[in-house]
Amino acid sequence: MSAPSGKRVALNRLTLTVRSVDALKPTERSWIAWDDRLTGFGVRVQPTGLKSFVVNYRAGDGGRKAPNRRVVLGRRCDMSVTEARRKARRMLAAVARGEDPAGGRRQQRAMPVLERAFEDFMSVNPGRAAVTERLYREEFARHFADWRERPLDDIARRDVEALFVRLTEDSGWSPANRAVSLLRSIYRRPCVDFKDLRNPVDLWLAGGGRYHRNRRRRISTPAEVLPRWKKGIEDSVGTPCVRDAFWFGLYTGMRLREVLALRWRSVDLAALVFRVDKTKAGTPLELPVTRQLAAILERRLADGPGEWVFPSTLPGALDHIADLSQYYKRIGEAGGARFWYNGLRNVFFTVAERDLLLSQPLTKRLVNHAPASDVTEGYAADWTIEQLREPAQRIADRIEALMTGEGETSAGPA
């Protein structure tokens, strides 16, 4: 049986039996099937397929003005329908006597919901980097929106497993790793505070679950993937600001976080220079603005000046776009070649060193790669902006030609 459409979920009533409960189907949002024989007794079905028996009642004798309570009796995988109904009858009988079972539970356990635990996790490290805080909040909002109000002891190992598989298929192995790792961190403090609480990620790992192994993915030749990636971005990314974030990464070889955190105060279009304030290497980096980058920046400036070059377009979202991983799969499918953002960096390296035969130290300087430990190289003075301008433009022109399939350079992606 599927969930009813619309908001009148409470009208979905049936006799809860083994057969009817097992036949309930998950949807994109959690929903509850209510028993037509025992008012207040139901089964909540999560998008992951997890089913939990619940009891709903109003505490006290205030009628409809009394606070509404909902208690989770147990998961379907751990409890029979008969046992759940028996527990529900006892609880509802206690309510009829004027008791408040949920209130008593809350006082005894005070088990927080996931959103409360997340806020506690965020508050214990006030020295966390701003970009890390933004990323955590964006990932929590994206991946755990349906779990915000779930008590911590209501999230099971199977939920983690289903989440990991879904994110891997939809967004790739890196976002799946990050989301589950964040969930594991959220649980650490509550698992100390509540002795009976188990970290579902630890249970998933103990049961054979594994994070994806970090690996460097190699691309096919730029001539092969660039036209496909161009098509994929143009066909599947509808927001101009987001498309330009991809183009900017392509023409600079910069890391994703460096691109998304770019501020207008760090851009000088008159001098054709921009600065990356926070880099992986830890030192600010100045780079030339090529013809292709100038076109991108002018488009962004035409949308209205603000603090960020790539501001978030989501209502009520954070200051700038926090992540682009949700687009990778659709870009790959639309273009016919697997896509990931760091692949743009790989293209930049390959074009610079294989096609144009530029020196490796020069290429590393352009993309802010950690310098080699070679002592002799360390003696050399850094490149000036004017020395970097010509090779940066050659790389951008070559990338543009390969992407468009033309032998001569032309205007950048519109």
Side-chain angles (χ1 to χ4, degrees):
M1 179 177 181
S2 300
S5 59
K7 296 183 179 180
R8 298 179 66 83
V9 178
L11 295 182
N12 186 54
R13 295 186 175 277
L14 70 157
T15 302
L16 295 183
T17 63
V18 173
R19 179 174 296 181
S20 66
V21 169
D22 291 345
L24 300 177
K25 302 297 183 185
T27 62
E28 293 182 356
R29 305 179 67 177
S30 62
W31 65 285
I32 297 177
W34 298 104
D35 187 53
D36 60 3
R37 292 165 48 194
L38 183 60
T39 300
F41 176 49
V43 175
R44 180 171 60 195
V45 183
Q46 299 288 353
T48 60
L50 178 72
K51 299 170 185 176
S52 301
F53 295 107
V54 297
V55 169
N56 201 81
Y57 67 92
R58 291 191 179 275
D61 55 1
R64 290 189 175 275
K65 294 183 179 181
N68 189 69
R69 308 286 201 206
R70 183 167 296 163
V71 178
V72 178
L73 299 175
R75 303 184 185 93
R76 171 66 182 96
C77 57
D78 301 324
M79 179 181 295
S80 69
V81 179
T82 301
E83 181 184 1
R85 187 183 296 278
R86 187 182 306 116
K87 281 190 173 184
R89 287 188 185 280
R90 288 201 298 265
M91 185 170 293
L92 292 171
V95 172
R97 294 192 298 268
E99 299 178 18
D100 184 3
R105 281 187 171 191
R106 189 172 290 109
Q107 292 177 0
Q108 291 175 6
R109 301 188 308 159
M111 181 65 67
V113 296
L114 184 63
E115 185 170 31
R116 167 72 180 278
F118 171 72
E119 292 300 334
D120 288 345
F121 163 73
M122 296 298 289
S123 67
V124 297
N125 187 1
R128 185 182 291 116
V131 65
T132 303
E133 176 137 347
R134 285 194 296 268
L135 181 62
Y136 283 166
R137 290 194 177 279
E138 188 73 16
E139 288 186 343
F140 185 81
R142 180 181 304 116
H143 303 313
F144 300 105
D146 291 338
W147 292 9
R148 287 180 181 273
E149 299 302 320
R150 293 181 66 177
L152 293 182
D153 58 353
D154 188 46
I155 298 174
R157 173 188 62 81
R158 294 182 181 181
D159 295 319
V160 175
E161 185 174 66
L163 174 72
F164 189 75
V165 171
R166 177 173 59 81
L167 289 180
T168 300
E169 293 175 349
D170 293 346
S171 303
W173 60 267
S174 183
N177 280 356
R178 292 201 309 268
V180 172
S181 180
L182 174 60
L183 183 65
R184 189 183 192 189
S185 297
I186 292 171
Y187 265 85
R188 286 198 176 109
R189 286 173 63 86
C191 284
V192 174
D193 296 336
F194 301 94
K195 64 178 182 179
D196 294 329
L197 180 64
R198 301 290 301 277
N199 192 323
V201 180
D202 288 341
L203 295 176
W204 171 68
L205 292 170
R210 292 290 180 272
Y211 291 107
H212 295 295
R213 180 174 58 86
N214 290 330
R215 60 192 185 278
R216 293 187 180 273
R217 289 177 285 194
R218 295 184 179 274
I219 62 168
S220 302
T221 63
E224 179 181 349
V225 299
L226 280 176
R228 298 183 181 184
W229 286 354
K230 178 177 184 292
K231 180 180 185 303
I233 292 172
E234 290 177 341
D235 290 354
S236 65
V237 181
T239 306
C241 183
V242 175
R243 285 201 303 269
D244 278 342
F246 284 110
W247 300 137
F248 203 93
L250 173 62
Y251 286 122
T252 61
M254 289 168 58
R255 298 176 179 89
L256 174 61
R257 293 188 185 182
E258 295 170 349
V259 170
L260 298 182
L262 186 63
R263 287 178 163 91
W264 281 116
R265 72 186 185 195
S266 302
V267 177
D268 187 342
L269 279 175
L272 295 179
V273 175
F274 73 95
R275 185 180 69 256
V276 184
D277 294 312
K278 292 186 178 180
T279 65
K280 186 176 181 180
T283 55
L285 177 72
E286 285 195 341
L287 290 168
V289 173
T290 61
R291 176 174 54 82
Q292 292 80 1
L293 295 181
I296 294 170
L297 292 170
E298 287 168 1
R299 287 198 297 269
R300 293 298 93 236
L301 197 59
D303 282 353
E307 181 179 2
W308 307 97
V309 176
F310 302 105
S312 177
T313 57
L314 299 176
L318 302 168
D319 296 331
H320 62 75
I321 299 172
D323 191 34
L324 297 176
S325 60
Q326 66 268 33
Y327 295 97
Y328 298 173
K329 183 178 180 180
R330 66 183 79 167
I331 290 173
E333 291 176 348
R338 187 174 183 180
F339 178 86
W340 68 106
Y341 198 90
N342 206 56
L344 303 176
R345 187 174 171 89
N346 294 354
V347 162
F348 192 95
F349 265 107
T350 303
V351 168
E353 295 187 2
R354 300 292 188 270
D355 283 20
L356 302 179
L357 302 179
L358 299 179
S359 68
Q360 188 176 88
L362 173 59
T363 304
K364 287 186 174 183
R365 170 60 177 81
L366 286 169
V367 299
N368 191 35
H369 196 285
S373 57
D374 183 83
V375 175
T376 303
E377 183 180 329
Y379 287 138
D382 193 12
W383 280 273
T384 66
I385 288 295
E386 294 310 313
Q387 288 174 325
L388 295 173
R389 195 176 299 282
E390 188 272 339
Q393 188 62 63
R394 287 179 61 197
I395 296 170
D397 289 344
R398 181 58 178 165
I399 288 174
E400 184 178 71
L402 291 171
M403 183 168 55
T404 59
E406 300 175 359
E408 299 179 357
T409 59
S410 58

